[in-house]
Amino acid sequence: MLEVKEVVTAKQQKEFLNFALDLYQGNGCYVPPLYGDEKKMFREDYVYRGSCDSVFFNAYEDGVMVGRIQGIIQKDANAKNGEKRCRFCRFDAIDKVEVSRALFAAVEKWALEKGMDTLVGPLNYSDLEREGMLVEGFDQPSTFEQNYNFSYYKDHVEALGFKKEIDWTVSRLYGARDAETLEELEQLVNFIFKRYKLHYGTAKNGRQLLKKYADGMFDLIDRSYEGLYGTVPFTPGMRKLVLDNFSLVISPKYTAVILDENEKIVCFGLAFPSLSRALVGTRGKLMPSTLLNLLACIKNPDILDLCLVGVDPEYLNRGISGALSLAIMKMLRDNPRLRWADTNLNLEDNYAILNQWHRFKREECKRFRSYVKKLSF
């Protein structure tokens, strides 16, 4: 007998959190989120509690858990876009379409009762969290910032009437195409810097970097991401969440901040040492051995994850993003241990970002998708 239950008890919450960890146990491509961070979703003081309504469901077959799903109504996003959308995320299930159908039916019913008319996803509380369903690249290891799912997920949601809304692509960057490309780009960037009176920001360490530039970065993200798919305005709580989560891994060594003559940030790019190697197989729990492995990854990374890029809209057509490309090329060139930089998810219609990768030796290795479905009673 198949039964879907709303998650209300501590036991059900634990089952919700553990299901994906059990489902992907032994899968070397699956990188778990940090267990402690996921637990915070159920707390009354969770950072998104004021801006989102949320529901969680577990599916059981003959008493055995076989799937899970979360529904989110992102009220700030709906208000910004004039929409009545419900997001789904944290969808995981065994390869049985009846299980997926029952889970989505529960979320759809909840969304309709809340006055929503569309279901979309996988999208999270904001674009700071994992989003998108993997549809290509199932044999590729995930980054800490990416979802991972089995190939049958796509078949399930499409069988339930979902259609593609938009894709994200992921590329591996191996450095400049050739020495001439690097030299020409350096000359171009020097010309742009001189013409617009720009310079790179400096900091001794990650703490000083954040103290000097964090506020400007957040303001620039709000302006440069405003029209992008799935984004929501930064709140003070979200800013604190980012700083808490990434203060340990932010380093001037893997950051490029570009300032105008008044020390205003006009462009920046943040890259972090990849944490995937330290987290695979850990179930996301920070045991002493995991912490040691994380510190080793941070100190001597072999892969970089490109996480946040912001460009002042006034500078979009001035070639300023070339300075970020140049910085990444030099990071890869000057650190022989680094094998590549992972772009993480780039929207397929975000040409301002995609165009800056054309000077690299690169490989498009993954594709993620957001699906949409109109709801009706």
Side-chain angles (χ1 to χ4, degrees):
M1 177 181 174
L2 182 60
E3 185 178 16
V4 174
K5 296 181 180 180
E6 183 176 347
V7 173
V8 292
T9 69
K11 179 177 182 290
Q12 290 168 335
Q13 291 174 3
K14 186 176 181 180
E15 290 173 332
F16 184 93
L17 294 174
N18 285 336
F19 179 74
L21 303 176
D22 295 335
L23 187 66
Y24 292 102
Q25 187 171 357
N27 187 311
C29 294
Y30 175 75
V31 177
L34 294 181
Y35 197 87
D37 288 346
E38 290 288 278
K39 282 179 67 175
K40 293 176 184 177
M41 295 185 300
F42 298 108
R43 287 171 34 175
E44 290 296 327
D45 63 348
Y46 188 51
V47 65
Y48 293 106
R49 186 58 65 97
S51 60
C52 298
D53 292 334
S54 187
V55 69
F56 305 84
F57 293 105
N58 290 342
Y60 305 86
E61 190 169 45
D62 298 327
V64 177
M65 190 166 170
V66 290
R68 69 170 191 171
I69 197 169
Q70 180 183 7
I72 298 172
I73 297 174
Q74 221 310 340
K75 292 180 281 190
D76 288 346
N78 281 346
K80 183 184 82 168
N81 300 317
E83 297 171 332
K84 295 180 179 180
R85 289 188 158 204
C86 175
R87 303 176 171 200
F88 74 86
C89 65
R90 294 177 176 85
F91 161 63
D92 291 288
I94 64 170
D95 190 5
K96 200 169 184 178
V97 72
E98 292 83 1
V99 173
S100 298
R101 180 177 290 110
L103 286 166
F104 277 98
V107 171
E108 290 174 20
K109 181 176 182 293
W110 177 80
L112 286 166
E113 289 172 350
K114 291 283 189 177
M116 302 297 105
D117 59 18
T118 305
L119 187 59
V120 62
L123 291 176
N124 220 308
Y125 293 100
S126 78
D127 57 309
L128 297 178
E129 291 81 37
R130 299 180 179 194
E131 58 188 352
M133 181 174 291
L134 185 65
V135 294
E136 293 177 13
F138 301 102
D139 60 340
Q140 301 297 316
S142 294
T143 69
F144 179 65
E145 296 81 13
Q146 292 171 5
N147 278 328
Y148 183 82
N149 55 261
F150 291 124
S151 59
Y152 62 79
Y153 282 34
K154 174 180 180 289
D155 300 330
H156 285 205
V157 298
E158 291 179 2
L160 298 176
F162 285 88
K163 306 294 183 184
K164 170 189 168 179
E165 182 159 61
I166 200 164
D167 280 2
W168 296 264
T169 62
V170 175
S171 294
R172 284 178 181 166
L173 309 178
Y174 296 99
R177 280 203 314 259
D178 48 50
E180 289 182 0
T181 298
L182 181 60
E183 183 179 349
E184 290 172 0
L185 181 58
E186 190 155 23
Q187 291 174 356
L188 174 62
V189 170
N190 288 337
F191 170 78
I192 292 170
F193 271 37
K194 185 175 181 180
R195 179 176 182 181
Y196 298 112
K197 299 179 181 179
L198 305 175
H199 61 280
Y200 285 108
T202 61
K204 295 179 181 178
N205 51 48
R207 181 178 297 177
Q208 187 183 78
L209 180 87
L210 291 174
K211 185 176 181 179
K212 291 175 70 173
Y213 303 123
D215 287 341
M217 288 179 184
F218 286 128
D219 292 341
L220 187 54
I221 288 173
D222 268 342
R223 285 186 284 125
S224 60
Y225 283 39
E226 184 178 11
L228 297 182
Y229 179 83
T231 59
V232 299
F234 265 89
T235 64
M238 289 168 63
R239 294 185 180 207
K240 183 178 184 303
L241 182 67
V242 171
L243 295 177
D244 289 346
N245 286 350
F246 295 112
S247 58
L248 181 64
V249 294
I250 287 177
S251 168
K253 190 175 182 180
Y254 307 119
T255 303
V257 180
I258 300 164
L259 310 169
D260 67 10
E261 59 185 326
N262 299 311
E263 299 299 305
K264 176 186 173 185
I265 297 178
V266 298
C267 183
F268 77 90
L270 292 181
F272 302 141
S274 173
L275 306 179
S276 300
R277 179 164 43 90
L279 291 171
V280 169
T282 65
R283 300 178 70 86
K285 296 185 178 181
L286 296 180
M287 308 300 287
S289 59
T290 307
L291 287 171
L292 289 174
N293 289 334
L294 284 171
L295 290 173
C297 287
I298 293 168
K299 186 176 180 179
N300 295 302
D302 61 344
I303 298 169
L304 289 182
D305 292 348
L306 307 185
C307 295
L308 285 174
V309 173
V311 181
D312 190 316
E314 293 182 15
Y315 284 81
L316 268 178
N317 298 317
R318 299 181 184 181
I320 191 64
S321 62
L324 295 182
S325 296
L326 180 63
I328 296 167
M329 289 175 183
K330 289 184 174 182
M331 290 176 198
L332 293 168
R333 182 197 65 186
D334 298 340
N335 294 273
R337 182 178 171 82
L338 291 175
R339 294 186 288 161
W340 66 75
D342 192 307
T343 66
N344 277 304
L345 276 66
N346 296 155
L347 284 164
E348 64 180 350
D349 61 356
N350 189 354
Y351 303 111
I353 291 295
L354 295 176
N355 287 339
Q356 78 178 63
W357 308 141
H358 76 275
R359 295 184 177 94
F360 287 85
K361 289 185 290 187
R362 73 182 185 97
E363 170 192 6
E364 189 175 296
C365 55
K366 297 176 214 169
R367 181 173 291 267
F368 292 81
R369 182 161 296 163
S370 181
Y371 286 92
V372 65
K373 179 181 179 181
K374 284 294 183 181
L375 302 179
S376 61
F377 285 100

